[in-house]
Amino acid sequence: MRTQLSAAVGAVALTAGALLGAPAAGAQATDYPTNSFRVEVGNTWTDGKLTWYNRSVLVEGTHKSVSSAGKAYCRLTWGRTYDASRALVGTRGSDPGDMACGTTRSFSFVVPADIVGGAQLVRICLDDGNYNDLLCAPYRRP
């Protein structure tokens, strides 16, 4: 009888411990790391947030152009992803409809990084309206 009682008490303690250690039903999955970026050329810029997923990087932000005198004065934002060895993995940029010409515009795009572990580095570039890189800056995965 004493053995059965000990076994019953032990089973209740194990069950309670398992329930207390379990995550809540509504718990969030692991958050993805984020960091901010800013690239400036004169009085034009691109800035925003990078969200690092397992096989891509989400780039969200705004870019600014101060003149609409022609495509050379417009601004676009591009991103290129790299692996840990700094080998290029993918390229992607803001949609041409997001081009800023004499204004400030929002953009959001995903840069693919279809490798195990995802991208370890992304280069964010501020381009003119002719897709010429004006300045690029590297950002490491946090």
Side-chain angles (χ1 to χ4, degrees), residues 29-34 50-58 81-84 89 110-121 141-142:
T30 303
D31 288 333
Y32 294 102
T34 62
L50 304 169
T51 304
W52 301 80
Y53 295 105
N54 292 334
R55 296 203 177 251
S56 63
V57 178
L58 173 63
T81 51
Y82 298 84
D83 67 11
V89 178
V110 174
V111 184
D114 196 13
I115 58 171
V116 175
Q120 297 304 305
L121 178 88
R141 186 182 192 111

Side-chain angles (χ1 to χ4, degrees), residues 3-5 8 11 14 20 25 51 64 79 82 84 90-91 93 108 113 121 125 129:
T3 305
Q4 290 175 335
L5 182 59
L14 284 174
L20 291 175
T51 304
K64 178 184 178 182
Y82 298 84
T91 62
S108 177
L121 178 88
C125 300

Side-chain angles (χ1 to χ4, degrees), residues 65-95:
S65 161
V66 293
S67 175
S68 58
K71 283 201 165 195
Y73 299 97
C74 297
R75 298 295 179 257
L76 283 167
T77 300
W78 286 87
R80 295 171 175 93
T81 51
Y82 298 84
D83 67 11
S85 301
R86 292 191 176 227
L88 182 64
V89 178
T91 62
R92 179 72 171 96
S94 53
D95 188 282

